[in-house]
Amino acid sequence: MLTRIQIAFHSIFRANPDFVVRAPGRVNLIGEHTDYNDGFVLPMAIDRAIWIALRPRADRRVLVHSLDLNLSAAFDLDSLAPDKERWVEYMKGVANELQVTGYKLRGWEGALTGDVPRGGGLSSSAALEVATARAFASVSGFGWDGMRIARMGQQAENNWLGVKTGIMDQAVSAGAKKGHAFFLDCRSLEYQQIPLPKEIAVAVMDTSTRRGLVDSAYNARRNQCERAARFFGVKALRDVSVDEFEARYEKHRANPFDVLNEGLDEFSWKRAKHIVTENARVLKAVDAMRADDVVTLGKLFNESHASLRDDFEVTNDELNWIVEAAQARPECFGARMTGAGFGGCAVALVRKDFAEAFAQAVSAEYRAKSGKGAAIFVSEAGEGASVIEM
Ligand code: GLA
């Protein structure tokens, strides 16, 4: 990738780049939809990333050529305005947040490429946001504070793109460490790097079904979670324990028509149940990972999937089929959908030596069930955003 982007930069600008920056996509191991509930997540960076080779400009313009789309774009830092070309909007959104926060930005020109599948739930957009921020940091000469940058990436997505996502994707893309999962408290933004158990391979299973995040479904889930938090009288569902949830739920089940006392709609109850139990699962998963207990870890994956399917209701048939096919394999410890859901990817923990056989068997089973091809690949836990000075 490094060579490819350097050569591309040279052929466009007839010079060598001053910097090459990269920011990875991610696969979430466990902790789904918990981030915007102030909860816990355990993603890892994948070994696929967005790369930008660039050099500063004397003015305040940004010129980018996307090798993958074969498209060029330009924008002016003094007159940022929303437009149609989505990939550029991620970059403008980040520039805008950085400026609003008070960073003094310089213009630059660069070439962009990447191997994170687009729209597949592996956070290609967060990778683009973080890479863009890294590019601005390099040419403008400001220090890199990963979590602060992650917050701005998230805000770009919330404010510029209008999707009310949480902070997980940008945080792991900015802060991950090779060989480790990234355990993040989405309230305090404190994080710990947790080594991945040696005997497992992480298999990413792309159902090849797609859904845009901008869909109202994601924002609708968020609204339901916020409604449930208000009902419980807390800032966010993070503050509700499993015991507390169960006690209230029992009361509600005993008298579902008692609207005055337990006035929460049935959907929001289910969403809350997922969030509360999922937060507990993340904490257990971290303990299991620390203890190299891959069997428990796998069980937690399976429980998470069931909860996302039955209570949070963000899976589609293809995600359920591929997860079932994976879970049925003897070399698989556990599997679940990953990311926002409704399409995209699932993730499985697999015995390392059998990863190849696993991928073949699951692909065949999935094709028989769905009539669709799956792209299954094993990913190492990658390194967060970085810069190479040329
Ligand atoms: C998307 C969002 C994240 C997170 C996940 C679901 O990836 O960008 O903030 O909410 O969905 O866990």
Side-chain angles (χ1 to χ4, degrees):
M1 274 298 206
L2 180 59
T3 322
R4 177 173 139 76
I5 191 93
Q6 275 176 292
I7 294 172
F9 183 95
H10 197 274
S11 73
I12 300 167
F13 299 102
R14 300 279 156 220
N16 289 323
D18 288 14
F19 306 97
V20 176
V21 298
R22 56 163 280 290
R26 64 99 188 90
V27 61
N28 189 17
L29 296 176
I30 195 162
E32 218 63 85
H33 289 274
T34 44
D35 61 351
Y36 54 83
N37 289 290
D38 274 4
F40 303 106
V41 292
L42 188 65
M44 67 174 216
I46 53 174
D47 47 19
R48 299 181 175 211
I50 300 281
W51 295 72
I52 308 175
L54 68 149
R55 66 174 175 190
R57 285 173 62 93
D59 60 11
R60 303 225 323 132
R61 285 178 68 71
V62 175
L63 262 62
V64 204
H65 181 78
S66 160
L67 303 181
D68 308 319
L69 303 173
N70 197 21
L71 286 175
S72 294
F75 55 89
D76 195 318
L77 291 169
D78 292 318
S79 55
L80 289 171
D83 209 339
K84 286 190 301 292
E85 205 60 71
R86 210 166 162 75
W87 63 281
V88 193
E89 293 311 296
Y90 289 110
M91 308 182 85
K92 289 198 302 207
V94 168
N96 180 57
E97 285 303 329
L98 289 167
Q99 297 200 122
V100 167
T101 313
Y103 287 102
K104 298 271 169 283
L105 303 186
R106 279 184 75 170
W108 51 270
E109 52 202 13
L112 170 86
T113 187
D115 57 359
V116 187
R118 266 190 300 275
L122 300 176
S123 295
S124 54
S125 48
L128 177 56
E129 288 154 13
V130 175
T132 302
R134 203 76 193 77
F136 277 116
S138 307
V139 296
S140 315
F142 58 81
W144 183 255
D145 175 346
M147 288 309 105
R148 196 159 180 227
I149 293 293
R151 183 64 84 200
M152 282 182 254
Q154 179 203 9
Q155 264 149 15
E157 196 123 2
N158 291 181
N159 303 334
W160 200 269
L161 282 312
V163 196
K164 300 290 175 202
T165 53
I167 198 171
M168 165 170 73
D169 306 342
Q170 293 82 2
V172 59
S173 181
K177 183 172 166 192
K178 200 174 166 53
H180 293 71
F182 186 79
F183 171 40
L184 176 68
D185 177 337
C186 298
R187 172 170 281 169
S188 68
L189 295 191
E190 279 166 17
Y191 60 88
Q192 290 171 38
Q193 311 282 4
I194 316 286
L196 284 189
K198 295 267 177 304
E199 74 260 45
I200 56 158
V202 174
V204 178
M205 310 183 289
D206 190 343
T207 60
S208 70
T209 59
R210 292 287 181 268
R211 157 197 169 264
L213 252 193
V214 203
D215 255 1
S216 56
Y218 183 94
N219 290 350
R221 292 296 179 289
R222 186 166 182 153
N223 289 337
Q224 289 164 332
C225 290
E226 284 166 3
R227 196 173 308 145
R230 281 196 297 279
F231 169 76
F232 275 90
V234 293
K235 182 162 174 277
L237 284 176
R238 144 74 174 272
D239 300 306
V240 180
S241 71
V242 175
D243 286 350
E244 205 179 321
F245 176 85
E246 277 171 359
R248 289 292 284 273
Y249 195 55
E250 278 311 304
K251 218 168 124 203
H252 163 69
R253 291 294 289 268
N255 188 3
F257 300 109
D258 184 0
V259 175
L260 277 182
N261 290 323
E262 301 293 330
L264 188 63
D265 63 280
E266 208 52 54
F267 289 116
S268 301
W269 273 113
K270 286 168 88 175
R271 309 307 184 233
K273 182 174 175 208
H274 165 72
I275 299 300
V276 169
T277 55
E278 183 81 348
N279 269 327
R281 279 188 288 273
V282 177
L283 299 180
K284 286 186 195 158
V286 170
D287 288 345
M289 231 185 228
R290 287 207 166 103
D292 261 335
D293 180 357
V294 289
V295 172
T296 300
L297 195 56
K299 282 197 184 124
L300 292 163
F301 268 47
N302 296 344
E303 286 170 24
S304 170
H305 184 79
S307 179
L308 287 155
R309 183 191 58 211
D310 302 337
D311 292 328
F312 216 66
E313 298 181 287
V314 289
T315 64
N316 62 0
D317 286 344
E318 286 82 355
L319 282 168
N320 293 331
W321 289 331
I322 210 162
V323 163
E324 281 157 26
Q327 288 173 344
R329 298 293 310 166
E331 63 275 9
C332 176
F333 294 104
R336 55 183 289 281
M337 58 146 274
T338 185
F342 303 101
C345 290
V347 59
L349 295 181
V350 184
R351 231 177 260 286
K352 220 171 213 161
D353 302 341
F354 295 88
E356 193 55 41
F358 170 84
Q360 276 175 17
V362 172
S363 294
E365 175 70 24
Y366 177 69
R367 182 178 287 283
K369 203 77 193 235
S370 69
K372 298 190 172 82
I376 302 187
F377 66 92
V378 167
S379 178
E380 300 291 327
E383 181 74 18
S386 57
V387 56
I388 306 155
E389 280 191 40
M390 309 306 291

